[in-house]
Amino acid sequence: MATVINAIYHIMAAAIVLLIINNFLKTKKMQDAAMYVVIMIPLIDRILRFK
């Protein structure tokens, strides 16, 4: 059961990262781009299973 929850968690994190990357590529403001990068870092760490 824990592995199923863990897999769902990683899939959700990956989906959120994809949405953030989409917004990152569309933005023209440097401040918004920096904010997207800061938001993506912990999510990417979770996807790669860093703790």
Side-chain angles (χ1 to χ4, degrees), residues 1-44:
M1 183 67 177
T3 57
V4 173
I5 294 172
N6 199 13
I8 292 170
Y9 177 74
H10 284 94
I11 291 169
M12 287 175 45
I16 293 170
V17 167
L18 290 175
L19 292 172
I20 294 171
I21 289 172
N22 185 29
N23 288 339
F24 175 78
L25 295 175
K26 289 181 181 179
T27 190
K28 304 256 189 264
K29 297 179 184 177
M30 284 300 290
Q31 186 174 2
D32 289 346
M35 178 187 65
Y36 291 135
V37 170
V38 169
I39 292 170
M40 280 191 292
I41 290 171
L43 292 171
I44 292 171

